[in-house]
Every structure is written in structure tokens, then in C-alpha cells.
Amino acid sequence: MSETEHEPDVTVDSRGATCPGPLMDLIGKVKESDPGTVIELQTSDDGSKSDVPEWLDEAGHDLLEVVDHDDYWSMYVETN
Amino acid sequence: MTEHIVVVGGGTGGTVLANRLAEKLGPEIERGDARVTLVSDDPDHVYKPTFLYVPFGKKTVEDAKRPLSDLVDRAVDIEIDRVTGIDTDGKRLSLRDGGSMAYDQLALALGAQLVPEELPGLAEGGHHFYGPDGADALRDEMAEFTEGHLVLSVIGTPHMCPAAPVEFVMMADAWFRERGLREDVEITYTYPIQRAHAIQNVADWASEAFEERDINVETFFNADEVDPEDGVLHSMEGKELDYDLLVGIPPHKGSDLVTEAGLGDDGWADVDKHTLESDHAEDVYVLGDLADVPTSKAGSVAHYEAGAVADRIASRTRGQTPTATYDGKTVCFIESGMDEATFVEFEYGSTPTVREPSKPVHWAKLGYNESYWLTARGLL
């Protein structure tokens, strides 16, 4: 298990979902979150590593860190 | 002891399942060893894909409806009532019109609900073709619409019939061309992710077709507010689109019954994607749009799932080990104009190929829409 310094306010478990499920789950959570919320997106879909940063860039939110677990990734996002 | 199988929902999943059970368990029902009840709060079965044609005046909302009693095998008891609670420990349903109903095996096929009110301004400022009232209202708007900016925005995901928004703009393009109005009508299609459709090959095909037909595309567009007064659609990404006619695919939700019964925490039911058995309760199956499985919310999915669930329930009823599974089979026709269409077919984990659109496939789609009533009867 990898370590991270980020403490998420909310965790979105999208493990098992395929593209674009994890990204849409994240967008839904960002929509209902206040600015400054740290969201951990758990995804096992390889595509998330490119489509999530691309959307964050487009929408103006920050990708804090991606932590590689054995069978999924945790993507830490902060809303602006 | 009679095995009581209760199917809740009178859409494609529920109706096909009830009919398949009547067929598979004919001798058991005859002997009184099994009983099948279909519970629905609507005495009519509604075939939703019909609504796509209503805005263009090609079909009416009445074409989408048939009485359940005409479609469901007589061996099935039809109960017109609304389920208000599910007790999976006591294996009992609460009913709106009073009383309760015990079950031995339960199949939930409640469908997805439209919740346009989840997006500020959408109910007032937008139209859709995902229900009878919306389709009728959009038909009237389209008939009067002779110039301006038509924006179709995919707002809700997941949503029913994932191909329908692509079909709608391609049909609108052809329809306005036929009527000599296309030069005065600008068409824009928006989608939430970085491409024009969730399925890569459909996105590639649609993007090329949109370009050829002068249909604008906005990707990474997640609508977060509609301003009906000024006719502006705002997105989470900070974009604004002026519209004269907004067709918004509304947000969808599952069922509060699912959440309250502990079958899924967001209204969509957690199931094994192959057996359609609930992750959280014994002898509970969920099929159709309500089941959270990694494929489209489409009639074909409900239809094929019903076949697997009917096999599994019939096996259990006979005391056998069920072996039938659903492999994710999905078939979607895609209209690419007013007189041509294509289709995609795929299973879990596979990517469909989009074939060149043709007139015969368009006729096949229209033909299938008619023969759908045989599907609902469990015959096709």
C-alpha cells in the first residue's frame, strides 16, 4: 500500500467501472462539492490516468497526486 | 408449496421476463408448484425508443403504448399497484394500494427515472424526447422552429439509450435539410467527456459524420445551469452556449426503493454483472436500466438480461443449480438521418465496430420497432 500526505474529504470508489464511468463519477462529485474539497477518486480503469487530468485542466481543478496501488489508482483532486 | 416469483416493473425487462417465466415454468405453473406475478403501477407497457421519432412527426406517443394485459401471458398474474417498500429479510413487498406481497424470488425491473429538476433551469428552459410529455412538447417546438440555434446537450449520464442523442442531431440535420431550412438552423451537440460519445468507435464515427453535416460539437461540456430567460446554457468548465431551442438529455436516477432496501447506495442496484443477482440480498435479481452493470441502459440489454434471469429463476424453482449468465450483449440501432441507419453490437469488454449506414438498416430499425411487440411477448 502506497502512502500519501493527502487526506481526502470525500472518496469516490469507481473501481471496476470502465471509461467514462470514473470520470463521470468524479465530475458528479465535483459538481456537488465546495471549492477546496479534496476528492480521492479510486479507479481501476487505465484510461482515467489521461482523461481525468485532461478534464481537470479544462475545468480548472487541481490534480494533487496519483498513487499507484496494486490493482487500482487513487487520484487526489482539489476543487477550485 | 408454491414458489411465488414476483417481477416488479412493466417495461421491457419486466415484461419479457414474466413471459419467459410463463414459458419456462409452464408445467410448474399448471401444477400449482409455481406462480408468477407481474407488479406494475402502469396498466400500459411503454416502448420508449418510439419517442425519438415523435419530435419529427414520424410517430405519436400513442404508438409507444400497449396494454400489459395484451402482452403478458395469461399464466402470469398482473397486479396494477406500486411497490412502496422492499423487505429482503422478510421477503415481502409493501404496496401503495394497501397490503403486502410475499415472494420467494424477486426480480426488480423498475427502470430509470428522469430528474430534470436536478439541473437549475432545465425543466423551464429545456426540452427532451425521453418521455411522452417531453416528446410531444418538443414536437410542437420543432414544428415551429424555422431558424436559430438548436443545442442538444447530453446532461445526464448515465442515461437511457446512449445512441439517441447522436441520432437526434443527425435526424434533425436531415429533417431541416428536407424542409429547406438547414441554412437557417445551426445545430450544436455537447457531450461531457473529451469525445463525442462514451464508446470510442461511436465517437470517431459520429465526429466525422458531424463534421460532414456541419453539426458543431462541444466536448468536455458538463451543463451546470440553464438560463431560460436569456437562452444561455452554462457549463462547469466555464463555457456558455446561446440557444434558441435547447434539447437537454435530463439527469437520470435509479430508485429510492433500491437505496431504502439496501440494494445499492445511489439508487442503482449493485448486482453481479453476469448473474444479475443482488450483491446485498438473497433471491433478488435486478435487470434493465436499474441494474448497475458496465453496459448501456438500453432495451436490448433488458431483453437479453431477462433471458438469463428467467433461466436462473426457473432452475432455482426446480431445485436445480442455475447456469445461465448474461455476457453483456448489447445491440443498438443508430439512425444517421431520416432514411439511413447503422447498428452496433458488443459484449462486456468488447468494442463495437460502426458499419457504414444504409437504407436497409434504417428499414430494419423501423421493422424491429414494429416487431418489438413480439419481443415484449417473449416470442422474439
Side-chain angles (χ1 to χ4, degrees):
Chain A
M1 189 88 176
S2 310
E3 293 299 323
T4 178
E5 61 187 77
H6 301 290
E7 192 59 45
D9 299 304
V10 57
T11 298
V12 179
D13 183 357
S14 295
R15 287 172 294 176
T18 51
C19 174
L23 174 60
M24 292 313 302
D25 291 344
L26 174 68
I27 291 172
K29 193 52 76 181
V30 169
K31 203 171 200 168
E32 64 190 42
S33 300
D34 294 325
T37 303
V38 175
I39 301 169
E40 178 191 357
L41 173 68
Q42 299 176 340
T43 173
S44 49
D45 180 50
D46 197 39
S48 300
K49 285 190 294 177
S50 57
D51 66 12
V52 168
E54 211 181 319
W55 180 73
L56 292 172
D57 192 37
E58 188 85 13
H61 304 290
D62 297 325
L63 180 62
L64 302 176
E65 193 182 3
V66 180
V67 177
D68 193 350
H69 302 281
D70 281 348
D71 49 358
Y72 70 99
W73 293 272
S74 284
M75 306 185 80
Y76 292 88
V77 170
E78 183 170 6
T79 60
N80 287 317
Chain B
M1 174 111 178
T2 305
E3 181 87 352
H4 190 201
I5 301 149
V6 179
V7 179
V8 185
T12 299
T15 307
V16 175
L17 175 58
N19 281 325
R20 291 283 174 89
L21 286 169
E23 181 200 333
K24 287 182 186 301
L25 291 172
E28 286 80 2
I29 294 171
E30 186 98 349
R31 287 197 303 268
D33 292 341
R35 186 157 70 94
V36 179
T37 303
L38 175 65
V39 184
S40 175
D41 60 357
D42 186 346
D44 287 322
H45 174 94
V46 177
Y47 182 52
K48 295 176 190 173
T50 305
F51 297 141
L52 172 65
Y53 298 90
V54 173
F56 304 102
K58 300 293 181 193
K59 297 216 182 237
T60 68
V61 296
E62 286 304 312
D63 293 334
K65 285 199 304 191
R66 296 269 175 104
L68 271 177
S69 54
D70 286 357
L71 298 171
V72 175
D73 193 294
R74 285 179 187 171
V76 175
D77 297 324
I78 300 176
E79 183 83 26
I80 304 301
D81 206 334
R82 189 177 181 86
V83 173
T84 54
I86 304 166
D87 172 6
T88 56
D89 292 330
K91 298 181 105 173
R92 189 166 278 278
L93 307 174
S94 311
L95 301 173
R96 177 188 60 197
D97 296 343
S100 64
M101 182 182 286
Y103 67 82
D104 296 298
Q105 297 187 70
L106 175 67
L108 299 174
L110 300 162
Q113 317 303 317
L114 304 177
V115 280
E117 59 276 12
E118 280 191 1
L119 187 81
L122 180 61
E124 302 80 25
H127 288 83
H128 68 81
F129 53 91
Y130 272 63
D133 297 343
D136 255 346
L138 181 55
R139 184 207 171 282
D140 294 345
E141 288 291 322
M142 292 283 282
E144 299 288 327
F145 194 72
T146 53
E147 59 177 355
H149 191 192
L150 166 64
V151 174
L152 180 138
S153 183
V154 177
I155 297 166
T157 55
H159 65 82
M160 293 179 276
C161 201
V166 169
E167 295 180 280
F168 183 86
V169 289
M170 290 201 190
M171 290 169 75
D173 166 72
W175 192 69
F176 286 119
R177 275 180 209 281
E178 275 175 16
R179 299 167 66 232
L181 299 169
R182 186 61 175 90
E183 283 188 2
D184 300 316
V185 175
E186 185 181 1
I187 301 176
T188 298
Y189 168 96
T190 85
Y191 203 71
I193 61 168
Q194 71 276 29
R195 54 180 183 262
H197 195 271
I199 298 170
Q200 182 74 54
N201 287 355
V202 175
D204 293 344
W205 168 76
S207 297
E208 202 180 317
F210 288 167
E211 197 172 341
E212 279 166 15
R213 295 162 200 220
D214 203 21
I215 296 168
N216 312 319
V217 182
E218 289 281 346
T219 53
F220 273 146
F221 191 101
N222 287 276
D224 68 351
E225 192 181 356
V226 179
D227 176 353
E229 204 149 304
D230 293 332
V232 182
L233 180 64
H234 299 268
S235 84
M236 286 173 76
E237 294 80 13
K239 295 178 209 160
E240 289 183 356
L241 267 179
D242 292 333
Y243 68 83
D244 297 296
L245 175 55
L246 173 64
V247 180
I249 308 307
H252 286 42
K253 70 166 195 174
S255 169
D256 293 340
L257 285 174
V258 164
T259 316
E260 289 159 9
L263 298 172
D265 56 14
D266 58 1
W268 307 110
D270 301 328
V271 294
D272 180 290
K273 69 179 181 180
H274 294 294
T275 66
L276 286 317
E277 290 173 13
S278 168
D279 289 347
H280 307 292
E282 291 279 312
D283 297 318
V284 177
Y285 298 81
V286 187
L287 67 160
D289 295 343
L290 189 63
D292 187 4
V293 294
T295 188
S296 305
K297 297 200 180 298
S300 63
V301 171
H303 171 192
Y304 295 122
E305 286 175 342
V309 171
D311 261 21
R312 297 189 72 82
I313 290 178
S315 295
R316 284 248 158 78
T317 302
R318 296 190 200 105
Q320 300 163 336
T321 301
T323 56
T325 54
Y326 170 65
D327 61 1
K329 185 173 179 185
T330 307
V331 180
C332 293
F333 281 107
I334 307 175
E335 294 283 15
S336 55
M338 294 308 288
D339 63 357
E340 56 170 26
T342 180
F343 70 100
V344 289
E345 184 176 353
F346 52 99
E347 295 90 31
Y348 290 139
S350 77
T351 305
T353 304
V354 184
R355 293 160 183 83
E356 191 64 27
S358 68
K359 283 186 181 179
V361 177
H362 166 70
W363 297 330
K365 174 163 185 173
L366 293 183
Y368 178 74
N369 285 351
E370 292 303 317
S371 53
Y372 168 75
W373 302 107
L374 297 175
T375 294
R377 287 188 174 95
L379 299 172
L380 187 68

